[in-house]
Amino acid sequence: MLSLPIAMLVEYLLLQMVFQVILLSTDRWAEKDVNPALFSRELMRNSSNFLNDEEVNRDPQSLLMKAHAATSSIGSATVIIAMLEKTGTLKIASVGDCGLKIIRKGQVMFSIYPQEHYFDCPYQISSEAVGQTYQDAVVCSVNLMEGDTIVSGSDGLFDNIFDQEIISIVSESPGVDEAAKALAELARKHSVDVTFDSPYSIEARSRGFDVPWWKKLLGAKLIGGKMDDITVVVAKVKTVAAPEDEGGDIEQQQGDEQGIAVAVASAEQNEE
């Protein structure tokens, strides 16, 4: 983790709100005739309502605790909450297999890794007592600097796109809106490509999942993307400014340019 003794000129509340929650409900609730979107939507709404709560005190784990306690809908979801401080510190709490990566100077310099009970069975915040809670969250923070790009999303993104593809799209896109849309579209394309050796298929093989032995004799292996709902959030830090002196005010940037740019894109898919 890099230390950054500067303050950032950012619209940090905007990033808090947009980055606030990325959720993925499980298919098993649909099998029980429960709308799997209701739980995640209420959890997100509660997170928004408690965002400026004094007890939360801009702590993503505390925000998750209060939002979960206030959620009455039946269901479950993976969740990641990221809150950007004025000082440039991005504070993160994550339960499950949503992801977040920070790209700096053409390299991934920070990643959140998934929490799983076993392969393809992530931790989840749930309405049931057997589910995980805020106490199970991975909690961390990272200091950002000018030019950093934040890419966050559901597992439908990271199961279908390699880091180098993310870096290439971010570097080649004229803005975060274009980057978010391009990432969502590429993930969707890879997810339905049965010939694509995806991050998901590579991980599956490493966990012992593969084609039958007789297919291996013919040179076959388990490949293909993973069909899933895909959510992508892309944000870029545009300006930073050093304080005039310790404890002093942040210098104000001239002009109308915001300190960050944020874009969201998503792609819904129905598995056959």
Side-chain angles (χ1 to χ4, degrees):
M1 184 180 298
L2 300 179
S3 176
L4 189 64
I6 58 179
M8 302 181 67
L9 290 172
V10 296
E11 298 290 338
Y12 74 105
L13 286 178
L14 172 64
L15 187 56
Q16 284 179 358
M17 294 296 291
V18 176
F19 246 13
Q20 189 176 292
V21 185
I22 295 173
L23 303 139
L24 184 64
S25 296
T26 56
D27 294 333
R28 66 187 177 91
W29 293 111
E31 296 172 357
K32 296 181 178 181
D33 200 28
V34 172
N35 184 345
L38 295 180
F39 178 86
S40 58
R41 288 172 182 169
E42 186 181 357
L43 182 61
M44 178 178 288
R45 184 166 57 250
N46 290 333
S47 298
S48 178
N49 293 338
F50 288 121
L51 187 62
N52 295 315
D53 187 274
E54 289 185 3
E55 292 182 6
V56 170
N57 194 29
R58 297 189 300 277
D59 175 58
Q61 190 176 27
S62 297
L63 178 58
L64 179 57
M65 175 190 68
K66 297 205 70 168
H68 187 201
T71 300
S72 59
S73 297
I74 297 174
S76 60
T78 62
V79 54
I80 184 167
I81 299 178
M83 305 175 73
L84 182 62
E85 293 287 339
K86 289 181 178 179
T87 58
T89 300
L90 186 67
K91 298 189 293 187
I92 305 162
S94 177
V95 176
D97 58 0
C98 292
L100 184 148
K101 296 179 184 290
I102 296 175
I103 300 172
R104 177 176 296 164
K105 298 180 179 179
Q107 293 184 332
V108 175
M109 55 80 62
F110 177 86
S111 293
I112 287 285
Y113 290 98
Q115 296 171 297
E116 295 179 318
H117 298 286
Y118 49 86
F119 179 66
D120 216 18
C121 183
Y123 283 20
Q124 297 179 77
I125 293 291
S126 175
S127 58
E128 298 181 324
V130 295
Q132 281 68 57
T133 72
Y134 72 98
Q135 293 177 313
D136 298 297
V138 171
V139 178
C140 56
S141 61
V142 59
N143 293 312
L144 305 184
M145 59 190 300
E146 181 177 341
D148 285 352
T149 298
I150 308 162
V151 177
S152 190
S154 61
D155 62 326
L157 172 67
F158 298 107
D159 281 344
N160 290 297
I161 295 187
F162 291 98
D163 282 359
Q164 192 54 53
E165 292 178 303
I166 295 174
I167 292 170
S168 296
I169 287 176
V170 166
S171 63
E172 295 170 4
S173 297
V176 292
D177 185 59
E178 293 84 359
K181 291 177 180 178
L183 287 169
E185 175 56 27
L186 182 60
R188 186 206 62 79
K189 180 180 178 181
H190 283 338
S191 71
V192 296
D193 185 351
V194 296
T195 66
F196 177 62
D197 199 8
S198 64
Y200 178 80
S201 60
I202 292 173
E203 179 66 17
R205 293 198 304 271
S206 74
R207 302 286 192 95
F209 298 91
D210 210 335
V211 297
W213 65 268
W214 57 270
K215 286 189 176 182
K216 288 185 180 180
L217 294 178
L218 299 174
K221 63 180 180 180
L222 179 67
I223 59 174
K226 180 190 178 187
M227 289 190 65
D228 208 341
D229 289 344
I230 299 162
T231 300
V232 186
V233 180
V234 179
K236 186 169 186 177
V237 179
K238 298 172 65 176
T239 56
V240 296
E244 294 180 353
D245 50 58
E246 287 192 17
D249 294 333
I250 299 173
E251 296 178 0
Q252 295 299 310
Q253 180 190 11
Q254 299 299 314
D256 296 327
E257 190 178 41
Q258 291 184 339
I260 59 168
V262 183
V264 183
S266 63
E268 295 185 357
Q269 299 198 19
N270 296 317
E271 296 190 33
E272 297 293 336

